[in-house]
């Protein structure tokens, strides 16, 4: 068809481009005159394509069509007028002229919200549904027959900007083009608009956007967000007009601390807090406003309302001066009517528009990808000097973010001063638990109290999940370039390395891990894990898939890997930091946000990690840490409807309960790394020295508090006695004691309740007839022989330093494999032999997620880790771990 496009803006530009792609002939583009020497985007696009462009300042005078304007229009020979976004009044002589008439895009579900401020009023009225209409133009005001409609949900904190970007713009472009397609095919309906539900509201202008404070908090929120960004809801504060932007409904149940702001007419003074300006409705409920703008155009963060002015200017380095020069050139190219950009040049007073803001943000990203600006940053720094100062501070990591406040517990220990956070970490802040609830963290080596730790409550879980959800849906994390996300994760790893001795010391006193082991494994592997997954951030990709359905049409199917959203992570007490790293690093790399519950008995390295994550620059709400009980915090995370994935490492019993709760709540995705009873088969042709050394390690590494610990050793009968003798000799050499003593081989068991279970476990072994050849009541590394398959200790996990040895005949390989696999667990396994054929045969038939051959405990960040059967499902580490925190979307296109 021959089409005349009448409109303006980026929306009009996209409709124009898509109509051309659809094969239509654009015979003319009618748009608005240039502003400050700059053409509208629609005009720019059409002029580049050589299409006739008309820039009429008006179509009518005193209600009458201008004859020469109508004549120029008619000369194009248009068969259809498409008005994708048009701010001018088009006379009926033009509307009715084409063979197919005229269609108009309107951002509401007509007949509701007729008029030019439809999106605003959708939000002001608190509609739960919004959308757009493509209708046939008539001589009424948005009253013509409906051709096409599409609706969407309106979220509680949507603004004009978010609903426009999420739905009205992208789907509106597609819908307008689809409407033209239906007209071309002769299938376009003309549905008379119903009278029921019809509304018309006035155009929202600054004069009528004043806030009426005698309303509920929800009504105030709707009014402010409905006027954000244009024209802006305002009120008089301290004798001047102040405009309010960035409203969200707040949690009215919590106490608000801050400085009061008197607002004439409000039911209560507002409160300026670190999070923004809290406002009260006449129902006592609250809303939070992020930004304020004054009459001179200056915008500030609401939290800074009472600040005494900006800090002193930073002095630029040579490299930063070069960046400033590049930005000055960008400003000059945007502000074409300004002869020279000075430090005092004001972006908006020089004629810049909201479209120019988008361009400037993107130009900064091209010049310095690590400087991620939001539109609000430009509105808050309107002069070139302030703009450069803001960019440089962001590049230096000094971008005006409020200082992290940490109430440390300090201890002089291990030849250093360690500084330990001990509060909950929610939305970028260390805070007390609801009701000031606390519990005591105990040093397992001597039973002394390390410090009081905040004990999370149900309400704290809900706050943390809400913060994580906002960070994922509205914050910087989800929008961040993957490569920049990787840089932040890598920076976090660097900070962990800088604090590795402190982290290892905290791990030693909190979990009983030997300091040197903590330094190498607990902390060292954690750092490696974050570095490994930092590299994956920009390498997550889908695939293209040939499909054969619906021939002879041509089709393209491709997949996208997308983050899941809010993920809960629940970790155990044996490797407090490393288990955090194994799950958190992959989760962050995939683009999710996190609420993590460390084990109640070992919370301190997780809280130190939270501090380092904040200092690395991870945005607020991306990581939240909640020390507390599994029955309360873990259960609430399993049940929470906004949590979309739960990763758990712990016992099989608790894993089953979590899986059930996750299914019942909202069918959230689950990955479980559970218990183990890992078999280690040692053949007579092994390297005896290595088999003894690695066999010891397989059981006693990290005090046996190791999920892949060899729960049962099968030793070939011809070397059994020799092997046992060598093991006992080595066990008796072990030094057990203070984990901070560099000569200590094994520290204390993690906590008393676990030690009591180990004593009972060993007593059961003796009662069943197994022979205890060393160790004893105090669990000084017991070794059992003569263990039969039916015994309790042959089947159940000890999760402690207990060696259990059984004999087998070397001629009966399949029999020992049967015995090794006769378990409901399948986490890890091992085999020692010099015979490569035997090694491959056995490794192929061992039913476990990991098989070690002539080694043990050799995990690596690049190798996937996870079990079979009741040892759980899902993988930590390696590329496969990313799949646990991603969802796959298939897209099929017919062309």
């Amino acid at each position: 068809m021959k089409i005349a496009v009448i409109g303006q803006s980026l929306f009009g530009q996209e409709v124009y481009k898509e109509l051309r792609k659809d094969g239509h002939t654009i015979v003319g583009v009618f748009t608005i005159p240039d502003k400050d020497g700059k053409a509208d985007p629609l005009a720019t696009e059409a002029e580049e394509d050589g299409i006739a462009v008309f820039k009429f300042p008006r179509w009518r005078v005193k209600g009458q069509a201008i004859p020469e304007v109508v004549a120029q229009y008619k000369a194009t020979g248009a068969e259809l007028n498409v008005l994708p976004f048009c701010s001018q009044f088009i006379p009926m002589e033009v509307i009715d002229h084409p063979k197919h008439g005229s269609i108009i895009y309107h951002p509401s579900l007509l007949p509701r919200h007729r008029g030019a401020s439809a999106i605003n009023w959708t939000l002001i009225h608190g509609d739960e549904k919004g959308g757009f209409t493509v209708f046939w133009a008539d001589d009424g005001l948005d009253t013509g027959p409906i051709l096409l409609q599409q609706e969407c949900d309106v979220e509680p904190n949507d603004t004009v900007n978010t609903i426009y970007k999420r739905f009205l713009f992208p789907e509106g472009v597609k819908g307008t083009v689809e409407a033209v397609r239906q007209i071309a095919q002769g299938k376009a309906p003309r549905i008379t608009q119903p009278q029921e539900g019809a509304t018309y509201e006035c155009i929202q202008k600054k004069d009528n956007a004043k806030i009426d404070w005698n309303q509920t908090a929800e009504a105030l929120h709707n009014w402010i967000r409905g006027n954000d960004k244009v024209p802006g809801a305002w009120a008089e504060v301290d004798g001047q007009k102040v405009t309010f932007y960035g409203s969200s409904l707040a949690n009215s149940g919590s106490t608000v601390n801050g400085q009061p702001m008197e607002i004439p007419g409000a039911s209560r003074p507002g409160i300026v807090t670190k999070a923004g300006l809290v406002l009260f409705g006449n129902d006592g409920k609250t809303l939070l406003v992020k930004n304020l703008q004054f009459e001179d155009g200056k915008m500030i963060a609401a939290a800074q309302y009472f600040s005494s002015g900006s800090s002193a200017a930073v002095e630029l380095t040579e490299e930063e001066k070069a960046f400033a020069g590049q930005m000055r050139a960008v400003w000059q190219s945007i502000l074409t009517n300004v002869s020279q950009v000075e430090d005092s040049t004001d972006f908006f007073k020089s004629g810049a528009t909201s479209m120019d803001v988008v361009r400037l943000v993107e130009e900064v990203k091209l010049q310095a990808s690590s400087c991620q600006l939001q539109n609000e940053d430009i509105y808050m720094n309107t002069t070139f000097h302030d703009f450069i100062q803001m960019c440089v501070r962001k590049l230096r990591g000094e971008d005006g973010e409020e200082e992290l406040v940490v109430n440390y517990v300090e201890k002089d220990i291990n030849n250093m001063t360690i500084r330990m956070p001990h509060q909950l970490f929610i939305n970028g802040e260390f805070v007390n638990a609801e009701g000031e609830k606390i519990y005591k963290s105990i040093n397992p080596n001597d039973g002394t109290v390390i410090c009081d730790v905040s004990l999370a409550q149900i309400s704290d879980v809900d706050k943390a999940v809400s913060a994580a959800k906002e960070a994922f849906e509205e914050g910087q994390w989800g929008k961040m370039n993957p490569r920049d996300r990787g840089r932040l994760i890598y920076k976090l790893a660097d900070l962990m390395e800088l604090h590795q001795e402190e982290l290892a010391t905290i791990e030693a006193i909190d979990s009983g891990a030997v300091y040197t082991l903590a330094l190498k494994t607990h902390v060292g592997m954690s750092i490696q894990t974050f570095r490994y997954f930092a590299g994956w951030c920009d390498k997550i990709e889908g695939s293209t898939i040939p499909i054969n359905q619906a021939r002879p049409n041509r089709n393209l199917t491709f997949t996208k890997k997308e983050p899941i959203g809010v993920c809960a992570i629940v970790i155990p007490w044996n490797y407090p930091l490393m288990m955090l790293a194994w799950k958190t690093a992959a989760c962050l790399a995939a683009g999710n946000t996190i609420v993590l519950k460390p084990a109640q008995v070992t919370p301190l390295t997780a809280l130190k990690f939270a501090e380092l994550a904040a200092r690395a620059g991870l945005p607020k709400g991306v990581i939240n840490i909640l020390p507390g009980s599994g029955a309360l915090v873990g259960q609430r995370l399993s049940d929470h409807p906004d949590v979309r994935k739960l990763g758990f490492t712990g016992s099989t019993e608790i894993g089953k309960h979590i899986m059930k709760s996750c299914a019942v709540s909202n069918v959230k995705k689950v990955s479980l790394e559970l218990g183990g009873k890992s078999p280690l088969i040692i053949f007579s042709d092994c390297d005896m020295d290595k088999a003894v050394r690695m066999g010891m390690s397989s059981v006693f590494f990290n005090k046996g508090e190791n999920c892949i610990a060899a729960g049962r050793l099968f030793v070939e009968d011809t070397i059994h006695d020799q092997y046992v003798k060598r093991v006992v000799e080595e066990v008796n050499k072990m030094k057990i004691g203070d984990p901070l003593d560099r000569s200590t081989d094994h520290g204390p068991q993690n906590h008393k309740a676990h030690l009591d279970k180990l004593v009972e476990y060993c007593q059961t072994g003796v009662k069943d007839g197994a022979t205890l050849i060393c160790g004893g009541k105090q669990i000084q590394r017991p070794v059992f022989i003569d263990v039969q398959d039916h015994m309790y200790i042959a089947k159940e996990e000890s999760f402690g330093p207990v060696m259990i040895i059984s004999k087998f005949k070397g001629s009966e390989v399949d029999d020992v494999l049967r015995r090794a696999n006769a378990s409901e667990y399948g986490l890890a396994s091992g085999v020692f032999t010099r015979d490569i054929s035997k090694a491959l045969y056995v490794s192929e038939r061992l039913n476990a997620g990991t098989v070690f051959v002539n080694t043990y405990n050799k995990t690596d960040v690049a190798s996937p880790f996870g079990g079979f059967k009741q040892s759980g499902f899902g993988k930590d580490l390696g590329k496969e771990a990313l799949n646990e925190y991603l969802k796959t979307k298939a897209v099929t296109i017919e062309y």
Side-chain angles (χ1 to χ4, degrees):
M1 278 194 302
K2 295 178 179 179
I3 296 175
V5 177
I6 305 174
Q8 64 199 76
S9 80
L10 291 168
F11 185 86
Q13 179 190 39
E14 288 301 310
V15 170
Y16 160 84
K17 287 161 61 176
E18 294 302 316
L19 288 173
R20 292 195 76 209
K21 288 180 186 176
D22 232 24
H24 301 291
T25 301
I26 310 300
V27 295
V29 165
F30 298 83
T31 185
I32 58 175
D34 295 353
K35 183 178 180 182
D36 295 323
K38 290 182 292 183
D40 182 79
L42 173 57
T44 301
E45 187 78 25
E47 287 169 344
E48 289 178 357
D49 293 335
I51 304 297
V53 176
F54 304 87
K55 302 177 181 179
F56 301 136
R58 63 186 64 83
W59 292 69
R60 303 187 303 180
V61 174
K62 296 182 179 178
Q64 300 300 312
I66 303 172
E68 54 269 31
V69 169
V70 175
Q72 289 184 63
Y73 160 75
K74 289 183 176 180
T76 63
E79 298 173 316
L80 174 70
N81 293 331
V82 177
L83 285 70
F85 178 82
C86 184
S87 61
Q88 297 172 313
F89 288 99
I90 311 302
M92 292 307 297
E93 292 91 331
V94 173
I95 293 293
D96 291 337
H97 177 74
K99 177 172 67 173
H100 296 295
S102 302
I103 61 170
I104 302 177
Y105 166 87
H106 192 270
S108 79
L109 297 174
L110 291 174
R112 188 161 174 78
H113 305 312
R114 294 168 176 165
S117 297
I119 315 176
N120 303 73
W121 288 100
T122 295
L123 299 174
I124 290 168
H125 282 286
D127 292 353
E128 293 183 357
K129 295 288 183 182
F132 65 84
T133 304
V134 179
F135 70 97
W136 299 93
D138 66 358
D139 59 355
L141 192 63
D142 308 332
T143 56
I146 294 170
L147 192 163
L148 180 150
Q149 279 189 331
Q150 287 188 29
E151 71 172 29
C152 67
D153 292 330
V154 180
E155 301 296 333
N157 289 324
D158 262 333
T159 64
V160 172
N161 193 39
T162 61
I163 195 171
Y164 183 67
K165 282 186 176 180
R166 185 180 77 247
F167 184 81
L168 296 177
F169 187 109
E171 297 304 320
V173 170
K174 296 175 190 174
T176 304
V177 175
E178 172 60 26
V180 173
R181 194 174 293 136
Q182 291 183 25
I183 294 170
Q185 295 170 349
K187 299 178 180 178
R190 291 176 178 266
I191 304 167
T192 301
Q193 289 193 36
Q195 293 301 313
E196 184 180 357
T199 61
Y200 173 80
E201 290 91 2
C202 63
I203 296 175
Q204 275 305 89
K205 297 180 178 179
K206 198 71 175 179
D207 289 346
N208 58 19
K210 186 176 181 179
I211 300 171
D212 174 9
W213 294 106
N214 189 27
Q215 300 181 84
T216 65
E218 184 175 358
L220 290 173
H221 163 65
N222 287 338
W223 183 260
I224 293 171
R225 70 177 178 137
N227 287 284
D228 186 342
K229 293 281 192 291
V230 178
W234 61 276
E236 289 187 5
V237 181
D238 287 336
Q240 63 174 319
K241 279 187 180 179
V242 176
T243 305
F244 298 74
Y245 294 112
S247 172
S248 59
L249 289 171
N251 181 358
S252 301
S254 56
T255 304
V256 181
N257 297 313
Q259 194 168 348
M261 173 198 281
E262 293 295 335
I263 303 175
S267 59
R268 289 174 56 182
I271 300 178
V272 176
T273 71
K274 290 186 289 185
L277 172 61
V278 176
L279 299 171
F280 295 85
N282 60 12
D283 56 353
K285 296 182 178 179
T286 58
L287 58 147
L288 181 72
V289 168
K290 291 292 182 71
N291 300 316
L292 303 173
Q293 189 173 40
F294 301 102
E295 289 178 279
D296 62 2
K298 178 70 174 178
M299 184 182 283
I300 65 166
Q304 299 172 359
Y305 182 78
F306 290 112
S307 299
S308 57
S310 60
S311 58
V314 297
E315 186 173 344
L316 274 56
T317 64
E318 291 302 316
E319 185 178 356
E320 290 164 347
K321 287 177 182 176
F323 169 77
Q326 294 167 340
M327 287 297 100
R328 196 181 296 272
V330 170
W331 275 51
Q332 193 71 67
S333 67
I334 294 174
L335 307 175
T336 54
N337 56 319
V338 175
S339 59
Q340 186 173 349
V341 173
E342 308 286 351
D343 283 357
S344 59
T345 300
D346 188 286
F347 194 63
F348 297 103
K349 290 179 181 178
S350 299
T353 65
S354 57
M355 185 181 71
D356 297 317
V357 172
V358 176
R359 177 183 166 184
L360 183 54
V361 168
E362 292 303 312
E363 291 276 11
V364 172
K365 193 184 298 181
L366 286 174
Q367 298 295 338
S369 61
S370 60
C371 188
Q372 297 286 324
L373 299 188
Q374 303 297 314
N375 292 1
E376 288 78 7
D377 293 322
I378 312 298
Y379 288 105
M380 293 182 186
N381 298 275
T382 60
T383 68
F384 183 74
H385 172 269
D386 290 347
F387 168 79
I388 289 297
Q389 289 283 308
M390 176 267 298
C391 288
V392 168
R393 285 192 171 99
K394 282 185 176 291
L395 287 167
R396 294 181 181 184
E398 304 167 358
D399 55 352
E401 288 289 326
E402 59 197 65
E403 183 181 354
L404 181 68
V405 177
V406 187
N407 180 14
Y408 294 110
V409 170
E410 295 189 359
K411 286 188 178 294
D412 292 322
I413 191 170
N414 200 24
N415 299 315
M416 68 182 79
T417 300
I418 59 172
R419 306 171 78 205
M420 297 174 289
H422 58 100
Q423 298 166 289
L424 313 182
F425 187 74
I426 300 176
N427 201 27
E429 295 182 280
F430 284 103
V431 295
N432 290 329
E434 187 73 25
E436 310 289 316
K437 298 283 187 180
I438 59 170
Y439 71 99
K440 298 187 183 302
S441 182
I442 305 297
N443 183 334
N445 185 52
D446 56 17
T448 60
V449 175
I450 303 170
C451 63
D452 290 335
V453 178
S454 292
L455 182 66
Q457 305 298 299
I458 293 286
S459 59
D460 298 312
V461 179
D462 292 343
K463 289 174 190 173
V465 172
S466 177
K469 184 180 180 183
E470 182 176 356
F472 179 76
E473 294 180 352
E474 305 295 338
Q476 300 175 29
W477 194 244
K479 303 170 188 174
M480 189 176 292
N481 180 291
R483 189 162 296 173
D484 292 326
R485 191 162 64 234
R487 287 193 184 101
L488 282 180
I489 296 172
Y490 205 94
K491 184 178 178 182
L492 170 58
D494 286 345
L495 274 176
M496 291 173 70
E497 185 172 48
L498 191 65
H499 290 263
Q500 60 184 331
E501 289 86 1
E502 183 179 18
L503 285 166
T505 303
I506 296 171
E507 197 88 322
I509 65 172
D510 201 27
S511 76
V514 171
Y515 172 74
T516 50
L517 175 66
L519 196 59
K520 179 184 182 296
T521 301
H522 291 233
V523 179
M525 192 174 187
S526 298
I527 294 167
Q528 293 170 14
T529 303
F530 279 103
R531 286 193 173 134
Y532 173 81
F533 282 106
W536 269 112
C537 289
D538 60 353
K539 300 172 186 68
I540 297 170
E541 57 189 21
S543 58
T544 57
I545 304 168
I547 63 170
N548 297 311
Q549 295 298 327
R551 288 182 176 179
N553 293 333
R554 290 179 294 169
N555 298 276
L556 169 66
T557 294
F558 61 90
T559 61
K560 298 174 65 181
K561 299 283 190 179
E562 298 179 348
I564 293 172
V566 179
C567 296
I569 293 174
V570 180
I571 56 173
W573 42 258
N574 57 328
Y575 293 98
L577 185 63
M578 196 173 78
M579 291 295 97
L580 175 152
W582 281 21
K583 296 189 187 302
T584 300
C587 186
L588 291 175
N592 302 287
T593 56
I594 294 166
V595 180
L596 181 140
K597 191 199 88 66
Q600 187 169 350
V601 294
T602 54
L604 298 180
T605 45
L607 294 173
K608 188 67 180 181
F609 167 82
E611 178 199 344
L612 299 179
R615 299 199 187 284
L618 272 71
K620 292 182 177 181
V622 172
I623 290 175
N624 304 271
I625 308 290
L626 301 177
S629 75
L632 191 146
V633 177
Q635 186 64 55
R636 178 56 181 157
L637 289 171
S638 301
D639 294 337
H640 204 293
D642 290 333
V643 173
R644 293 298 171 186
K645 159 71 200 278
L646 193 146
F648 172 75
T649 293
S651 71
T652 298
E653 179 186 4
I654 300 300
K656 289 178 179 179
H657 182 78
I658 283 176
M659 191 173 176
K660 181 178 179 181
S661 296
C662 289
V664 171
S665 59
N666 60 349
V667 198
K668 57 175 62 71
K669 188 175 182 179
V670 187
S671 56
L672 303 172
E673 196 256 279
L674 307 175
K677 187 67 175 175
S678 301
L680 175 56
I681 303 172
I682 301 173
F683 288 95
S684 60
D685 63 351
C686 68
D687 177 333
M688 178 63 79
D689 289 341
K690 189 173 185 181
V692 170
R693 185 174 69 253
M694 298 306 297
M696 296 278 292
S697 174
S698 75
V699 174
F700 299 125
F701 187 81
N702 198 52
K703 308 169 291 175
E705 296 169 356
N706 193 18
C707 52
I708 60 171
R712 191 176 181 193
L713 278 66
F714 294 91
V715 181
E716 191 171 341
D717 55 0
T718 57
I719 62 167
H720 175 272
D721 293 348
Q722 179 189 0
Y723 188 86
V724 170
K725 180 182 178 183
R726 292 279 302 274
V727 164
V728 171
E729 289 173 356
E730 295 300 320
V731 168
N732 290 330
K733 294 176 185 176
M734 287 182 182
K735 179 179 178 181
I736 303 168
D738 184 355
L740 294 176
D741 185 335
R742 303 306 191 265
S743 65
T744 295
D745 294 302
H746 291 279
Q749 298 309 131
N750 197 294
H751 53 96
K752 186 178 183 303
H754 179 56
L755 181 62
D756 292 343
K757 286 183 180 179
L758 282 174
V759 171
E760 184 180 350
Y761 183 89
C762 292
Q763 289 172 343
T764 302
V766 172
K767 190 182 301 181
D768 286 346
T771 304
L772 179 63
I773 59 172
C774 67
K777 294 181 180 179
Q778 298 306 311
I779 315 302
Q780 300 297 310
R781 310 307 179 250
V783 178
F784 284 93
I785 61 172
D786 302 326
V787 178
Q788 304 303 310
D789 293 352
H790 68 276
M791 294 180 179
Y792 178 83
I793 63 172
K795 296 184 291 186
E796 297 300 325
E797 182 180 29
S798 67
F799 210 67
V802 183
M803 182 174 278
I804 297 165
I805 302 175
S806 299
K807 291 182 185 179
F808 75 94
K809 292 182 179 180
S811 59
E812 299 175 353
V813 175
D814 287 332
D815 185 62
V816 75
L817 281 167
R818 177 191 59 76
R819 296 170 68 195
N821 288 328
S823 167
E824 275 301 302
Y825 299 110
L827 189 56
S829 59
V831 55
F832 276 80
T833 176
R834 285 191 172 97
D835 185 336
I836 186 63
S837 297
K838 189 187 295 180
L840 291 174
Y841 181 86
V842 170
S843 62
E844 184 177 299
R845 285 161 177 76
L846 282 169
N847 194 5
T850 298
V851 180
F852 298 109
V853 179
N854 294 329
T855 188
Y856 208 88
N857 281 327
K858 186 165 281 188
T859 54
D860 187 90
V861 294
S863 177
F865 181 95
F868 302 158
K869 299 186 286 188
Q870 291 196 45
S871 288
F873 52 85
K875 297 294 182 183
D876 290 324
L877 304 179
K879 180 182 178 181
E880 289 191 38
L882 290 167
N883 294 327
E884 305 301 327
Y885 299 97
L886 292 165
K887 57 189 179 186
T888 302
K889 177 184 289 181
V891 180
T892 296
I893 302 170
E894 185 173 293
Y895 62 98

